[in-house]
Amino acid sequence: MLKKCYIGIDTSNYTTSLSAVDERGEVLVNLKAPLPVKEGACGLRQSDAVFAHVKHIPLLMRRLQEALEGYTPVAVGVSARPRDAADSYMPCFLSGVAAAESFAAGMGLPVYTFSHQNGHVMAALMSSGGAERLFGRAFGAFHVSGGTTEMLLVTPRGKDFDISLVGESADLHAGQAIDRIGVAMGLSFPCGPALEQLAAQNQSPVPRPRVSVTGGVCHLSGLENLALKLYRESGDARLTAAYVLAFLAETLTRMARHFREEHRDLPLLFAGGVMSNRIIADTLKRDLGGEILFAEPAFSADNAAGIAYLCRARASEH
């Protein structure tokens, strides 16, 4: 007899992702295809992202079908918007919605829509090992990526959750800063992994970061100018990389301390592509202490596993 599984589809501005989980919550497959970015560029126009998704989805669907031998899908989940807000919209997510509706129509399956952000939080929750501790509890979450630098209050809602924005960057996002600085230093987009490798090799003293955090709001636009000034003056890519990560870690630390002052030391969960950086994560663990959780790297960057988990939870309510 075929076993049940739940499909997740996510089409962000960086990655095409398909995933499936079984009834026990085990990830059966987590497929990802990064969107191609021209050398020297720091991102994609939405029209180019949609075109890339349209090319990627059929290829990943074939791989998904092969991976699900012995399983039968019973529901499809898809990220239809960046966040759960009335004005939250990006065309790239329409690619995933079209794929989900087409996949489901052919098999007579229900389609459940979620936000990309909720998928990130769910993937981080499940992969961090904190699901049993945090399900049914309020907690804080950071979603830190190329398109988002947000501090969130997560409150339970049945097997799902509601998210309230309680802090954010007033200008540049953390991932944007990393990519702009990395590209200016000759790295290829996305620059996060290469920047982390350079920082790990640094042996020079790192200048103390002059961060700007007021309450739950941070400013990251100055980081680009400060880092590139350091790079011009020192010619040291490793030192500059270490400075960038130290700046971001200090910024997030100050925001997290503010969250704990406002929300009585709730647990903190870190999600998003930037949080796959182990240097930043290790700094936060050292400087914050308390109950803090991080997604595994494979489930921290853009992925569809969180959407598949949310689909499984929603389907169980029907």
Side-chain angles (χ1 to χ4, degrees):
M1 187 175 86
L2 294 176
K3 294 171 283 188
K4 295 179 181 179
C5 70
Y6 306 86
I7 307 300
I9 299 173
D10 183 76
T11 50
S12 73
N13 206 39
Y14 297 93
T15 309
T16 311
S17 308
L18 272 66
S19 187
V21 301
D22 65 13
E23 286 192 287
R24 297 177 301 167
E26 296 292 330
V27 177
L28 302 173
V29 60
N30 190 32
L31 303 173
K32 295 188 278 188
L35 305 190
V37 176
K38 292 181 180 178
E39 191 69 29
C42 292
L44 285 173
R45 295 179 301 178
Q46 281 291 294
S47 57
D48 293 331
V50 170
F51 181 62
H53 286 311
V54 170
K55 292 199 298 182
H56 284 170
I57 287 170
L59 301 175
L60 293 186
M61 281 291 186
R62 293 191 189 99
R63 291 173 58 191
L64 179 70
Q65 184 179 26
E66 293 170 359
L68 295 183
E69 185 177 354
Y71 289 87
T72 181
V74 294
V76 182
V78 60
S79 54
R81 54 198 173 275
R83 296 189 294 114
D84 276 339
D87 60 348
S88 186
Y89 168 77
M90 286 180 74
C92 60
F93 291 106
L94 296 178
S95 310
V97 173
E101 292 287 355
S102 299
F103 182 97
M107 303 182 69
L109 305 179
V111 175
Y112 303 117
T113 61
F114 307 96
S115 73
H116 175 73
Q117 185 171 77
N118 279 42
H120 262 299
V121 172
M122 190 64 162
L125 189 62
M126 297 300 291
S127 72
S128 68
E132 291 186 2
R133 281 181 284 162
L134 297 189
F135 265 133
R137 296 174 59 190
F139 60 91
F142 280 77
H143 181 193
V144 189
S145 67
T148 305
T149 300
E150 294 183 340
M151 185 166 65
L152 313 165
L153 176 62
V154 184
T155 53
R157 183 188 61 198
K159 295 184 178 180
D160 198 347
F161 41 76
D162 288 316
I163 289 179
S164 301
L165 180 67
V166 294
E168 61 184 331
S169 172
D171 38 52
L172 207 60
H173 296 305
Q176 283 180 303
I178 287 172
D179 289 328
R180 288 186 183 185
I181 295 163
V183 168
M185 290 165 54
L187 305 179
S188 295
F189 179 94
C191 303
L195 205 74
E196 182 175 1
Q197 289 178 0
L198 286 170
Q201 298 167 12
N202 177 58
Q203 299 294 323
S204 301
V206 178
R208 183 176 179 83
R210 301 193 304 251
V211 305
S212 175
V213 178
T214 304
V217 177
C218 70
H219 296 264
L220 296 176
S221 58
L223 171 57
E224 182 178 3
N225 292 331
L226 290 169
L228 293 181
K229 180 175 182 290
L230 176 62
Y231 182 59
R232 286 193 302 270
E233 293 176 350
S234 68
D236 191 336
R238 294 172 180 148
L239 173 62
T240 304
Y243 176 78
V244 170
L245 300 188
F247 189 106
L248 293 175
E250 178 65 18
T251 297
L252 294 174
T253 296
R254 293 196 189 183
M255 292 176 72
R257 285 174 178 158
H258 173 77
F259 179 92
R260 283 180 165 171
E261 290 171 1
E262 295 292 312
H263 300 284
R264 297 175 297 177
D265 291 329
L266 290 178
L268 293 174
L269 176 71
F270 289 86
V274 172
M275 299 318 307
S276 62
N277 185 293
R278 286 312 186 195
I279 294 175
I280 294 177
D282 288 345
T283 303
L284 291 170
K285 290 175 187 176
R286 182 195 69 206
D287 293 348
L288 283 176
E291 191 173 8
I292 58 175
L293 302 166
F294 294 86
E296 287 297 317
F299 298 100
S300 189
D302 287 352
N303 69 92
I307 299 297
Y309 279 125
L310 289 170
C311 176
R312 170 175 167 264
R314 184 73 59 82
S316 70
E317 297 174 351
H318 293 77

